[in-house]
Amino acid sequence: MSNDFAIGIHDLSFATTEFTLPHAVLAEYNGTEIGKYHVGIGQQSMSVPAADEDIVTMAAAAAAPITARHGADRIRTVVFATESSIDQAKSAGVYVHSLLGLPSACRVVELKQACYGATAALQFAIGLVRRDPAQQVLVIASDVSKYDLDSPGEATQGAAAVAMLVGVDPALVRIEEPSGLFTADVMDFWRPNYRETALVDGQESITAYLQAVEGSWKDYGEQGGRPLEEFAAFCYHQPFTKMAYKAHRHLLNYCGYETDKDAIEDAIGQTTAYNTVIGNSYTAAVYLALAALLDQADDLAGRSIGFLSYGSGSVAEFFAGTVVPGYRQHLRTAAHRAAVDRRKPVGYPEYRELHERSLPADGGDHLTPSQTTGPFRLAALSGHKRIYETR
Ligand code: CAA
């Protein structure tokens, strides 16, 4: 099969929530020394969804600028990756398809493997585009990360959606072969269908992540991947930003390098700006790392970036992308910064109320409090159906 056309990320846009909880507020409530949050896990604040926001409203808000810029005529597939699914049967992507007015000649599907799902979606998209280079695929990663109140995971919560348009001759990043793959059956983080909050074995999850870094990198090398020295930067899955530093140090050690602090900072430093203020967005987090890198780096044209996508349970993939010359004209840096800056800080009681809120399950008619100022909102529940609204 012909491989002589480049396929990759043509456009990338993200959205996050209406509210934010600064870690200083959480620390004051629970008596934690703030250094543990700011330095120990590398988090400043977390995105908190309003009562009328969910993975669909964030996803539609992330994807709308993409269809506004490129149209939707060539989009024949939407792949929606999430850990925080809203329905056991219907893909959240179908709601987004409707909110964005995408053509009916389109397939829409939801993918799940904890935080890894969006990378599977990206690879499936590349396969579809290779088969039919005229089509584009809309890949969406959207998640609300929720742990029990007063649990160690609480400080790593967050929420965001990243939308990526995948096609030939991409304007941003060409995605390369091969991929390094790794799967291991571990119970480091999981969420049974009857739970709204994730269960996690914190230290086990860090160990499992580092094993997956090693395993996927080993396979990447065996598949003929690039040597470590060729990468200008590394986008790791960031459940909390300090994890990217732990992962890169582990990779350097595994490859026999001294772990020089400055070298790690050079490789990781520009990938954390969004995740440190948004928190864990599960499937979206590794692509928020890419957004932060592209939005901040001086000039990456022609340079290779390493991606390490990890989903607990666990599945991981290491792959490379090469940044396309001229990419900076296509970035959405101002809109990304605005998405972060527009969030309103909430106090601890408001955060706790939003956290404890769950949607009524009685099948009645329930209007949702009008809180978000974003372009899409979850307006009501009626007969067990979610009713969305566009402003
Ligand atoms: N000043 C500076 N640093 C401090 C400090 C202070 N005052 N107090 C503590 N620290 C440091 C600690 O030394 C520690 O650093 P190291 O890891 O480098 O040793 C760090 O802060 C965290 O301290 P603890 O380990 O004591 O914190 P904890 O017991 O509260 O747990 C956690 C931390 C395990 C990450 C927990 O928040 C958690 O369970 N999070 C959810 C799970 C998670 O994100 N796992 C990551 C891998 S799994 C994954 O990637 C998938 C996914 O998205 C969930």
Side-chain angles (χ1 to χ4, degrees), residues 82-118:
T82 188
E83 185 275 354
S84 34
S85 189
I86 54 166
D87 195 290
Q88 301 282 14
K90 179 166 174 159
S91 167
V94 176
Y95 296 104
V96 177
H97 176 277
S98 165
L99 288 169
L100 298 183
L102 299 183
S104 59
C106 189
R107 61 167 80 80
V108 182
V109 70
E110 186 169 306
L111 287 187
K112 174 178 67 183
Q113 175 33 54
C115 310
Y116 165 75

PDB file of all heavy atoms in Angstrom, residues 82-118:
ATOM      1  N   THR A  82     -13.198   8.485  25.631  1.00  0.00           N
ATOM      2  CA  THR A  82     -13.480   8.978  26.981  1.00  0.00           C
ATOM      3  C   THR A  82     -13.391   7.858  28.008  1.00  0.00           C
ATOM      4  O   THR A  82     -13.639   6.691  27.690  1.00  0.00           O
ATOM      5  CB  THR A  82     -14.885   9.637  27.044  1.00  0.00           C
ATOM      6  OG1 THR A  82     -15.043  10.269  28.312  1.00  0.00           O
ATOM      7  CG2 THR A  82     -16.007   8.635  26.838  1.00  0.00           C
ATOM      8  N   GLU A  83     -13.053   8.238  29.225  1.00  0.00           N
ATOM      9  CA  GLU A  83     -13.165   7.331  30.372  1.00  0.00           C
ATOM     10  C   GLU A  83     -14.475   7.605  31.102  1.00  0.00           C
ATOM     11  O   GLU A  83     -15.014   6.734  31.754  1.00  0.00           O
ATOM     12  CB  GLU A  83     -11.978   7.562  31.328  1.00  0.00           C
ATOM     13  CG  GLU A  83     -11.904   6.609  32.515  1.00  0.00           C
ATOM     14  CD  GLU A  83     -12.744   7.016  33.725  1.00  0.00           C
ATOM     15  OE1 GLU A  83     -13.330   8.114  33.735  1.00  0.00           O
ATOM     16  OE2 GLU A  83     -12.823   6.234  34.676  1.00  0.00           O
ATOM     17  N   SER A  84     -14.971   8.865  30.976  1.00  0.00           N
ATOM     18  CA  SER A  84     -16.135   9.288  31.764  1.00  0.00           C
ATOM     19  C   SER A  84     -17.392   9.306  30.896  1.00  0.00           C
ATOM     20  O   SER A  84     -18.066  10.330  30.757  1.00  0.00           O
ATOM     21  CB  SER A  84     -15.865  10.640  32.417  1.00  0.00           C
ATOM     22  OG  SER A  84     -15.057  11.471  31.620  1.00  0.00           O
ATOM     23  N   SER A  85     -17.690   8.153  30.336  1.00  0.00           N
ATOM     24  CA  SER A  85     -18.816   8.001  29.423  1.00  0.00           C
ATOM     25  C   SER A  85     -20.140   8.348  30.106  1.00  0.00           C
ATOM     26  O   SER A  85     -20.302   8.130  31.305  1.00  0.00           O
ATOM     27  CB  SER A  85     -18.828   6.540  28.963  1.00  0.00           C
ATOM     28  OG  SER A  85     -19.749   6.366  27.934  1.00  0.00           O
ATOM     29  N   ILE A  86     -21.103   8.862  29.330  1.00  0.00           N
ATOM     30  CA  ILE A  86     -22.399   9.242  29.916  1.00  0.00           C
ATOM     31  C   ILE A  86     -23.489   8.223  29.610  1.00  0.00           C
ATOM     32  O   ILE A  86     -24.612   8.353  30.071  1.00  0.00           O
ATOM     33  CB  ILE A  86     -22.850  10.628  29.414  1.00  0.00           C
ATOM     34  CG1 ILE A  86     -22.864  10.670  27.876  1.00  0.00           C
ATOM     35  CG2 ILE A  86     -21.956  11.720  29.998  1.00  0.00           C
ATOM     36  CD1 ILE A  86     -23.595  11.864  27.314  1.00  0.00           C
ATOM     37  N   ASP A  87     -23.193   7.230  28.791  1.00  0.00           N
ATOM     38  CA  ASP A  87     -24.232   6.265  28.406  1.00  0.00           C
ATOM     39  C   ASP A  87     -23.565   4.935  28.075  1.00  0.00           C
ATOM     40  O   ASP A  87     -22.503   4.912  27.460  1.00  0.00           O
ATOM     41  CB  ASP A  87     -24.973   6.801  27.165  1.00  0.00           C
ATOM     42  CG  ASP A  87     -26.279   6.063  26.915  1.00  0.00           C
ATOM     43  OD1 ASP A  87     -26.239   4.870  26.531  1.00  0.00           O
ATOM     44  OD2 ASP A  87     -27.347   6.670  27.109  1.00  0.00           O
ATOM     45  N   GLN A  88     -24.202   3.847  28.494  1.00  0.00           N
ATOM     46  CA  GLN A  88     -23.610   2.521  28.248  1.00  0.00           C
ATOM     47  C   GLN A  88     -23.746   2.107  26.784  1.00  0.00           C
ATOM     48  O   GLN A  88     -23.080   1.173  26.345  1.00  0.00           O
ATOM     49  CB  GLN A  88     -24.305   1.460  29.113  1.00  0.00           C
ATOM     50  CG  GLN A  88     -24.233   1.715  30.587  1.00  0.00           C
ATOM     51  CD  GLN A  88     -22.883   1.339  31.166  1.00  0.00           C
ATOM     52  OE1 GLN A  88     -21.921   1.136  30.446  1.00  0.00           O
ATOM     53  NE2 GLN A  88     -22.818   1.242  32.466  1.00  0.00           N
ATOM     54  N   ALA A  89     -24.672   2.747  26.060  1.00  0.00           N
ATOM     55  CA  ALA A  89     -24.957   2.292  24.695  1.00  0.00           C
ATOM     56  C   ALA A  89     -24.602   3.341  23.642  1.00  0.00           C
ATOM     57  O   ALA A  89     -23.881   3.052  22.682  1.00  0.00           O
ATOM     58  CB  ALA A  89     -26.434   1.926  24.580  1.00  0.00           C
ATOM     59  N   LYS A  90     -25.111   4.547  23.824  1.00  0.00           N
ATOM     60  CA  LYS A  90     -24.976   5.565  22.780  1.00  0.00           C
ATOM     61  C   LYS A  90     -23.650   6.310  22.904  1.00  0.00           C
ATOM     62  O   LYS A  90     -23.267   6.715  23.996  1.00  0.00           O
ATOM     63  CB  LYS A  90     -26.149   6.550  22.921  1.00  0.00           C
ATOM     64  CG  LYS A  90     -26.159   7.679  21.926  1.00  0.00           C
ATOM     65  CD  LYS A  90     -27.517   8.383  21.931  1.00  0.00           C
ATOM     66  CE  LYS A  90     -27.480   9.606  21.029  1.00  0.00           C
ATOM     67  NZ  LYS A  90     -28.823  10.014  20.624  1.00  0.00           N
ATOM     68  N   SER A  91     -22.982   6.496  21.780  1.00  0.00           N
ATOM     69  CA  SER A  91     -21.721   7.243  21.796  1.00  0.00           C
ATOM     70  C   SER A  91     -21.980   8.717  22.083  1.00  0.00           C
ATOM     71  O   SER A  91     -22.875   9.329  21.475  1.00  0.00           O
ATOM     72  CB  SER A  91     -21.035   7.123  20.429  1.00  0.00           C
ATOM     73  OG  SER A  91     -19.997   8.073  20.339  1.00  0.00           O
ATOM     74  N   ALA A  92     -21.190   9.281  22.976  1.00  0.00           N
ATOM     75  CA  ALA A  92     -21.283  10.726  23.236  1.00  0.00           C
ATOM     76  C   ALA A  92     -21.035  11.511  21.954  1.00  0.00           C
ATOM     77  O   ALA A  92     -21.523  12.635  21.789  1.00  0.00           O
ATOM     78  CB  ALA A  92     -20.278  11.129  24.316  1.00  0.00           C
ATOM     79  N   GLY A  93     -20.302  10.912  21.044  1.00  0.00           N
ATOM     80  CA  GLY A  93     -19.994  11.569  19.771  1.00  0.00           C
ATOM     81  C   GLY A  93     -21.229  11.847  18.935  1.00  0.00           C
ATOM     82  O   GLY A  93     -21.235  12.786  18.132  1.00  0.00           O
ATOM     83  N   VAL A  94     -22.291  11.061  19.112  1.00  0.00           N
ATOM     84  CA  VAL A  94     -23.511  11.297  18.321  1.00  0.00           C
ATOM     85  C   VAL A  94     -24.163  12.626  18.736  1.00  0.00           C
ATOM     86  O   VAL A  94     -24.668  13.368  17.896  1.00  0.00           O
ATOM     87  CB  VAL A  94     -24.496  10.113  18.446  1.00  0.00           C
ATOM     88  CG1 VAL A  94     -25.798  10.414  17.702  1.00  0.00           C
ATOM     89  CG2 VAL A  94     -23.867   8.836  17.908  1.00  0.00           C
ATOM     90  N   TYR A  95     -24.119  12.936  20.033  1.00  0.00           N
ATOM     91  CA  TYR A  95     -24.634  14.241  20.473  1.00  0.00           C
ATOM     92  C   TYR A  95     -23.794  15.371  19.865  1.00  0.00           C
ATOM     93  O   TYR A  95     -24.302  16.392  19.450  1.00  0.00           O
ATOM     94  CB  TYR A  95     -24.578  14.374  22.000  1.00  0.00           C
ATOM     95  CG  TYR A  95     -25.452  13.422  22.768  1.00  0.00           C
ATOM     96  CD1 TYR A  95     -24.909  12.324  23.418  1.00  0.00           C
ATOM     97  CD2 TYR A  95     -26.821  13.638  22.873  1.00  0.00           C
ATOM     98  CE1 TYR A  95     -25.701  11.461  24.157  1.00  0.00           C
ATOM     99  CE2 TYR A  95     -27.616  12.776  23.621  1.00  0.00           C
ATOM    100  CZ  TYR A  95     -27.050  11.689  24.254  1.00  0.00           C
ATOM    101  OH  TYR A  95     -27.840  10.841  24.986  1.00  0.00           O
ATOM    102  N   VAL A  96     -22.485  15.170  19.836  1.00  0.00           N
ATOM    103  CA  VAL A  96     -21.601  16.210  19.294  1.00  0.00           C
ATOM    104  C   VAL A  96     -21.846  16.367  17.794  1.00  0.00           C
ATOM    105  O   VAL A  96     -21.923  17.492  17.274  1.00  0.00           O
ATOM    106  CB  VAL A  96     -20.114  15.851  19.569  1.00  0.00           C
ATOM    107  CG1 VAL A  96     -19.183  16.876  18.939  1.00  0.00           C
ATOM    108  CG2 VAL A  96     -19.870  15.760  21.068  1.00  0.00           C
ATOM    109  N   HIS A  97     -22.002  15.246  17.112  1.00  0.00           N
ATOM    110  CA  HIS A  97     -22.328  15.244  15.682  1.00  0.00           C
ATOM    111  C   HIS A  97     -23.561  16.122  15.434  1.00  0.00           C
ATOM    112  O   HIS A  97     -23.597  16.946  14.514  1.00  0.00           O
ATOM    113  CB  HIS A  97     -22.564  13.787  15.253  1.00  0.00           C
ATOM    114  CG  HIS A  97     -23.009  13.606  13.849  1.00  0.00           C
ATOM    115  ND1 HIS A  97     -24.317  13.738  13.462  1.00  0.00           N
ATOM    116  CD2 HIS A  97     -22.310  13.289  12.726  1.00  0.00           C
ATOM    117  CE1 HIS A  97     -24.410  13.526  12.166  1.00  0.00           C
ATOM    118  NE2 HIS A  97     -23.203  13.253  11.690  1.00  0.00           N
ATOM    119  N   SER A  98     -24.559  15.965  16.296  1.00  0.00           N
ATOM    120  CA  SER A  98     -25.806  16.725  16.149  1.00  0.00           C
ATOM    121  C   SER A  98     -25.585  18.210  16.483  1.00  0.00           C
ATOM    122  O   SER A  98     -25.999  19.096  15.733  1.00  0.00           O
ATOM    123  CB  SER A  98     -26.842  16.095  17.079  1.00  0.00           C
ATOM    124  OG  SER A  98     -27.934  16.932  17.261  1.00  0.00           O
ATOM    125  N   LEU A  99     -24.904  18.471  17.596  1.00  0.00           N
ATOM    126  CA  LEU A  99     -24.687  19.876  18.005  1.00  0.00           C
ATOM    127  C   LEU A  99     -23.890  20.657  16.963  1.00  0.00           C
ATOM    128  O   LEU A  99     -24.076  21.854  16.790  1.00  0.00           O
ATOM    129  CB  LEU A  99     -23.960  19.926  19.362  1.00  0.00           C
ATOM    130  CG  LEU A  99     -24.795  19.529  20.576  1.00  0.00           C
ATOM    131  CD1 LEU A  99     -23.901  19.344  21.810  1.00  0.00           C
ATOM    132  CD2 LEU A  99     -25.882  20.569  20.857  1.00  0.00           C
ATOM    133  N   LEU A 100     -22.982  19.954  16.264  1.00  0.00           N
ATOM    134  CA  LEU A 100     -22.141  20.635  15.272  1.00  0.00           C
ATOM    135  C   LEU A 100     -22.769  20.603  13.879  1.00  0.00           C
ATOM    136  O   LEU A 100     -22.217  21.181  12.939  1.00  0.00           O
ATOM    137  CB  LEU A 100     -20.753  19.981  15.205  1.00  0.00           C
ATOM    138  CG  LEU A 100     -19.904  20.013  16.479  1.00  0.00           C
ATOM    139  CD1 LEU A 100     -18.538  19.387  16.218  1.00  0.00           C
ATOM    140  CD2 LEU A 100     -19.737  21.440  16.991  1.00  0.00           C
ATOM    141  N   GLY A 101     -23.880  19.901  13.707  1.00  0.00           N
ATOM    142  CA  GLY A 101     -24.522  19.812  12.399  1.00  0.00           C
ATOM    143  C   GLY A 101     -23.661  19.100  11.371  1.00  0.00           C
ATOM    144  O   GLY A 101     -23.589  19.517  10.207  1.00  0.00           O
ATOM    145  N   LEU A 102     -23.020  18.020  11.770  1.00  0.00           N
ATOM    146  CA  LEU A 102     -22.165  17.286  10.829  1.00  0.00           C
ATOM    147  C   LEU A 102     -23.037  16.505   9.841  1.00  0.00           C
ATOM    148  O   LEU A 102     -24.193  16.197  10.128  1.00  0.00           O
ATOM    149  CB  LEU A 102     -21.224  16.336  11.588  1.00  0.00           C
ATOM    150  CG  LEU A 102     -20.254  16.997  12.566  1.00  0.00           C
ATOM    151  CD1 LEU A 102     -19.323  15.963  13.196  1.00  0.00           C
ATOM    152  CD2 LEU A 102     -19.426  18.076  11.876  1.00  0.00           C
ATOM    153  N   PRO A 103     -22.487  16.167   8.660  1.00  0.00           N
ATOM    154  CA  PRO A 103     -23.287  15.451   7.653  1.00  0.00           C
ATOM    155  C   PRO A 103     -23.773  14.096   8.173  1.00  0.00           C
ATOM    156  O   PRO A 103     -23.082  13.448   8.969  1.00  0.00           O
ATOM    157  CB  PRO A 103     -22.302  15.245   6.490  1.00  0.00           C
ATOM    158  CG  PRO A 103     -21.105  16.070   6.788  1.00  0.00           C
ATOM    159  CD  PRO A 103     -21.104  16.398   8.233  1.00  0.00           C
ATOM    160  N   SER A 104     -24.935  13.659   7.698  1.00  0.00           N
ATOM    161  CA  SER A 104     -25.446  12.354   8.153  1.00  0.00           C
ATOM    162  C   SER A 104     -24.600  11.214   7.590  1.00  0.00           C
ATOM    163  O   SER A 104     -24.568  10.129   8.168  1.00  0.00           O
ATOM    164  CB  SER A 104     -26.914  12.185   7.767  1.00  0.00           C
ATOM    165  OG  SER A 104     -27.052  12.288   6.372  1.00  0.00           O
ATOM    166  N   ALA A 105     -23.915  11.442   6.461  1.00  0.00           N
ATOM    167  CA  ALA A 105     -23.035  10.404   5.900  1.00  0.00           C
ATOM    168  C   ALA A 105     -21.734  10.373   6.700  1.00  0.00           C
ATOM    169  O   ALA A 105     -20.688  10.876   6.284  1.00  0.00           O
ATOM    170  CB  ALA A 105     -22.744  10.681   4.441  1.00  0.00           C
ATOM    171  N   CYS A 106     -21.842   9.827   7.892  1.00  0.00           N
ATOM    172  CA  CYS A 106     -20.724   9.872   8.842  1.00  0.00           C
ATOM    173  C   CYS A 106     -20.870   8.707   9.812  1.00  0.00           C
ATOM    174  O   CYS A 106     -21.981   8.363  10.215  1.00  0.00           O
ATOM    175  CB  CYS A 106     -20.820  11.200   9.618  1.00  0.00           C
ATOM    176  SG  CYS A 106     -19.423  11.584  10.664  1.00  0.00           S
ATOM    177  N   ARG A 107     -19.742   8.078  10.178  1.00  0.00           N
ATOM    178  CA  ARG A 107     -19.810   7.074  11.251  1.00  0.00           C
ATOM    179  C   ARG A 107     -19.285   7.714  12.539  1.00  0.00           C
ATOM    180  O   ARG A 107     -18.336   8.508  12.498  1.00  0.00           O
ATOM    181  CB  ARG A 107     -19.000   5.818  10.892  1.00  0.00           C
ATOM    182  CG  ARG A 107     -17.545   6.037  10.684  1.00  0.00           C
ATOM    183  CD  ARG A 107     -16.774   4.723  10.646  1.00  0.00           C
ATOM    184  NE  ARG A 107     -16.825   4.017   9.393  1.00  0.00           N
ATOM    185  CZ  ARG A 107     -16.088   4.284   8.315  1.00  0.00           C
ATOM    186  NH1 ARG A 107     -15.234   5.284   8.325  1.00  0.00           N
ATOM    187  NH2 ARG A 107     -16.195   3.566   7.223  1.00  0.00           N
ATOM    188  N   VAL A 108     -19.928   7.357  13.650  1.00  0.00           N
ATOM    189  CA  VAL A 108     -19.543   7.935  14.946  1.00  0.00           C
ATOM    190  C   VAL A 108     -19.433   6.799  15.951  1.00  0.00           C
ATOM    191  O   VAL A 108     -20.327   5.953  16.033  1.00  0.00           O
ATOM    192  CB  VAL A 108     -20.598   8.957  15.440  1.00  0.00           C
ATOM    193  CG1 VAL A 108     -20.157   9.571  16.763  1.00  0.00           C
ATOM    194  CG2 VAL A 108     -20.820  10.049  14.402  1.00  0.00           C
ATOM    195  N   VAL A 109     -18.348   6.791  16.710  1.00  0.00           N
ATOM    196  CA  VAL A 109     -18.154   5.696  17.658  1.00  0.00           C
ATOM    197  C   VAL A 109     -17.408   6.203  18.890  1.00  0.00           C
ATOM    198  O   VAL A 109     -16.687   7.201  18.811  1.00  0.00           O
ATOM    199  CB  VAL A 109     -17.406   4.520  16.967  1.00  0.00           C
ATOM    200  CG1 VAL A 109     -15.964   4.890  16.670  1.00  0.00           C
ATOM    201  CG2 VAL A 109     -17.478   3.244  17.769  1.00  0.00           C
ATOM    202  N   GLU A 110     -17.614   5.514  20.022  1.00  0.00           N
ATOM    203  CA  GLU A 110     -16.907   5.875  21.260  1.00  0.00           C
ATOM    204  C   GLU A 110     -15.886   4.791  21.601  1.00  0.00           C
ATOM    205  O   GLU A 110     -16.174   3.604  21.457  1.00  0.00           O
ATOM    206  CB  GLU A 110     -17.937   6.010  22.390  1.00  0.00           C
ATOM    207  CG  GLU A 110     -17.360   6.514  23.703  1.00  0.00           C
ATOM    208  CD  GLU A 110     -18.464   6.891  24.690  1.00  0.00           C
ATOM    209  OE1 GLU A 110     -19.353   7.690  24.336  1.00  0.00           O
ATOM    210  OE2 GLU A 110     -18.455   6.367  25.811  1.00  0.00           O
ATOM    211  N   LEU A 111     -14.737   5.207  22.066  1.00  0.00           N
ATOM    212  CA  LEU A 111     -13.659   4.272  22.424  1.00  0.00           C
ATOM    213  C   LEU A 111     -13.302   4.419  23.893  1.00  0.00           C
ATOM    214  O   LEU A 111     -13.291   5.521  24.423  1.00  0.00           O
ATOM    215  CB  LEU A 111     -12.387   4.588  21.638  1.00  0.00           C
ATOM    216  CG  LEU A 111     -12.326   4.253  20.161  1.00  0.00           C
ATOM    217  CD1 LEU A 111     -10.914   4.488  19.661  1.00  0.00           C
ATOM    218  CD2 LEU A 111     -12.737   2.823  19.916  1.00  0.00           C
ATOM    219  N   LYS A 112     -12.920   3.289  24.503  1.00  0.00           N
ATOM    220  CA  LYS A 112     -12.531   3.345  25.923  1.00  0.00           C
ATOM    221  C   LYS A 112     -11.309   2.490  26.217  1.00  0.00           C
ATOM    222  O   LYS A 112     -11.257   1.319  25.843  1.00  0.00           O
ATOM    223  CB  LYS A 112     -13.683   2.828  26.786  1.00  0.00           C
ATOM    224  CG  LYS A 112     -13.308   2.715  28.267  1.00  0.00           C
ATOM    225  CD  LYS A 112     -14.475   2.259  29.107  1.00  0.00           C
ATOM    226  CE  LYS A 112     -14.853   0.846  28.756  1.00  0.00           C
ATOM    227  NZ  LYS A 112     -16.019   0.380  29.503  1.00  0.00           N
ATOM    228  N   GLN A 113     -10.327   3.041  26.841  1.00  0.00           N
ATOM    229  CA  GLN A 113      -9.285   2.314  27.568  1.00  0.00           C
ATOM    230  C   GLN A 113      -8.609   3.335  28.482  1.00  0.00           C
ATOM    231  O   GLN A 113      -7.522   3.828  28.180  1.00  0.00           O
ATOM    232  CB  GLN A 113      -8.289   1.607  26.623  1.00  0.00           C
ATOM    233  CG  GLN A 113      -7.081   0.914  27.299  1.00  0.00           C
ATOM    234  CD  GLN A 113      -7.353   0.313  28.679  1.00  0.00           C
ATOM    235  OE1 GLN A 113      -8.261  -0.482  28.864  1.00  0.00           O
ATOM    236  NE2 GLN A 113      -6.573   0.729  29.672  1.00  0.00           N
ATOM    237  N   ALA A 114      -9.358   3.697  29.538  1.00  0.00           N
ATOM    238  CA  ALA A 114      -8.892   4.708  30.490  1.00  0.00           C
ATOM    239  C   ALA A 114      -8.319   5.914  29.725  1.00  0.00           C
ATOM    240  O   ALA A 114      -8.935   6.386  28.774  1.00  0.00           O
ATOM    241  CB  ALA A 114      -7.908   4.106  31.477  1.00  0.00           C
ATOM    242  N   CYS A 115      -7.132   6.389  30.113  1.00  0.00           N
ATOM    243  CA  CYS A 115      -6.606   7.623  29.515  1.00  0.00           C
ATOM    244  C   CYS A 115      -5.961   7.397  28.150  1.00  0.00           C
ATOM    245  O   CYS A 115      -5.547   8.353  27.496  1.00  0.00           O
ATOM    246  CB  CYS A 115      -5.589   8.258  30.456  1.00  0.00           C
ATOM    247  SG  CYS A 115      -6.206   8.415  32.120  1.00  0.00           S
ATOM    248  N   TYR A 116      -5.860   6.132  27.720  1.00  0.00           N
ATOM    249  CA  TYR A 116      -5.185   5.834  26.457  1.00  0.00           C
ATOM    250  C   TYR A 116      -6.089   6.010  25.227  1.00  0.00           C
ATOM    251  O   TYR A 116      -5.608   6.157  24.109  1.00  0.00           O
ATOM    252  CB  TYR A 116      -4.641   4.389  26.514  1.00  0.00           C
ATOM    253  CG  TYR A 116      -4.243   3.843  25.169  1.00  0.00           C
ATOM    254  CD1 TYR A 116      -3.065   4.270  24.541  1.00  0.00           C
ATOM    255  CD2 TYR A 116      -5.057   2.938  24.495  1.00  0.00           C
ATOM    256  CE1 TYR A 116      -2.709   3.787  23.290  1.00  0.00           C
ATOM    257  CE2 TYR A 116      -4.710   2.442  23.259  1.00  0.00           C
ATOM    258  CZ  TYR A 116      -3.539   2.875  22.654  1.00  0.00           C
ATOM    259  OH  TYR A 116      -3.205   2.404  21.409  1.00  0.00           O
ATOM    260  N   GLY A 117      -7.418   6.016  25.427  1.00  0.00           N
ATOM    261  CA  GLY A 117      -8.378   5.892  24.326  1.00  0.00           C
ATOM    262  C   GLY A 117      -8.152   6.824  23.144  1.00  0.00           C
ATOM    263  O   GLY A 117      -8.369   6.434  21.992  1.00  0.00           O
ATOM    264  N   ALA A 118      -7.724   8.058  23.391  1.00  0.00           N
ATOM    265  CA  ALA A 118      -7.598   9.014  22.281  1.00  0.00           C
ATOM    266  C   ALA A 118      -6.454   8.648  21.348  1.00  0.00           C
ATOM    267  O   ALA A 118      -6.470   9.008  20.164  1.00  0.00           O
ATOM    268  CB  ALA A 118      -7.412  10.432  22.819  1.00  0.00           C
TER     269      ALA A 118
END
